[in-house]
Amino acid sequence: MDSRPVGMFDSGVGGLSVAGAFGELAPAERVIYFADTAYFPYGPRPAAEVRKRAFAITHRLLRDDVKLIVVACNTASAAAIVELRKAFPVPFVGMVPGLKPAAAGSRGKHVVILATPGTIEGGLFTRVLEEFGREARVDTVAGHGLAEAVEAGLAAAPETVASVRDLLAGPVRAGADTVVLGCTHYTFLRPALLAAYPALQVIDTNGAVARRAAQVLCEADLLAPAGRPGGLDLIVSGDAVAFRRTAVSL
Ligand code: DGL
């Protein structure tokens, strides 16, 4: 048993989708969520810059004595998870686009990965592609502007539906029947995606990552005492009012 908090971070509101799933699975855990909005978006930044932020945030979360850190961001996982694990003694849970379940579930064996440029170009995704890329045709699309729309509270706006429609038009026309949301912000685009393409199967790994985090705590005997009320504390590096405004609208 361990009453210390769990740390979680993302560039903004995206990782709240993971925090929500984790809170349902492990309601006794207190989560400290670091939203790095002063450096949002991570997607177009060089990996070294995102890695520097991941290290700075980890130092900050460790000051609050977190027992586990969930990198609730595909871009930061791609840029830094290997180095974080080497540098810090705390366990980390990271994210990678869910190509495996998507390839298994795609009827026509044609999937499209929607992610940030940092995730698509990162080594983690290259390895997943090598491992599971033969099981289906895989198209990759960089979701230019989409995380920004979510962060601005425009996840369901008509212009966001139009962007999603344009970005995925090529792969869908070519027969893709499954889209993998390779960025935690995109989880909040499900309604926009389904408005643009109602027949598309939409896959994300937020639930799987939340389950993995709970499993790591359980295996290391780090779970908080059952029955204790958990909760979410926020640290926002940028405009906290804007962050909260978007968060409550999701
Ligand atoms: N939420 C982040 C991810 O999962 C990226 C958003 C951004 O570009 O900052 O990749």
Side-chain angles (χ1 to χ4, degrees):
M1 290 292 161
D2 192 322
S3 302
R4 290 177 299 155
V6 169
M8 224 177 254
F9 73 90
D10 181 37
S11 58
V13 294
L16 290 175
S17 55
V18 179
F22 181 71
E24 278 173 28
L25 278 175
E29 300 297 335
R30 189 162 73 84
V31 172
I32 301 181
Y33 184 93
F34 191 111
D36 198 15
T37 57
Y39 291 84
F40 176 87
Y42 281 174
R45 290 183 190 276
E49 218 175 286
V50 176
R51 200 174 304 128
K52 216 166 145 192
R53 290 307 303 154
F55 271 64
I57 294 165
T58 298
H59 280 295
R60 173 63 191 85
L61 290 170
L62 287 173
R63 286 216 316 265
D64 281 334
D65 200 21
V66 295
K67 58 187 171 182
L68 166 83
I69 294 181
V70 180
V71 184
C73 172
N74 290 262
T75 311
S77 297
I81 194 85
V82 174
E83 292 80 0
L84 289 169
R85 286 188 174 128
K86 277 190 201 142
F88 297 96
V90 70
F92 286 89
V93 173
M95 313 193 63
V96 71
L99 176 55
K100 185 183 174 188
S106 166
R107 276 188 309 276
K109 296 295 167 209
H110 185 172
V111 309
V112 52
I113 313 284
L114 188 62
T116 68
T119 297
I120 292 172
E121 286 152 24
L124 280 188
F125 180 60
T126 311
R127 278 198 290 284
V128 172
L129 202 53
E130 275 164 13
E131 203 173 337
F132 303 107
R134 257 171 262 122
E135 293 170 26
R137 170 173 163 185
V138 182
D139 296 337
T140 50
V141 171
H144 294 293
L146 294 183
E148 290 86 337
V150 173
E151 198 65 31
L154 298 172
E159 58 268 35
T160 307
V161 176
S163 299
V164 165
R165 186 177 292 118
D166 288 352
L167 284 164
L168 295 182
V172 169
R173 211 177 303 119
D177 57 25
T178 302
V179 60
V180 178
L181 305 182
C183 165
T184 49
H185 278 74
Y186 301 169
T187 301
F188 298 112
L189 292 174
R190 263 177 193 269
L193 275 157
L194 293 173
Y197 297 106
L200 212 54
Q201 184 174 207
V202 182
I203 306 275
D204 68 48
T205 56
N206 300 347
V209 169
R211 282 194 294 283
R212 177 74 194 133
Q215 186 190 4
V216 170
L217 289 179
C218 182
E219 284 170 3
D221 199 19
L222 291 174
L223 283 169
R228 186 190 79 150
L232 188 81
D233 293 335
L234 284 178
I235 305 172
V236 184
S237 63
D239 182 344
V241 174
F243 179 84
R244 280 173 197 276
R245 195 185 312 122
T246 298
V248 296
S249 77
L250 291 168

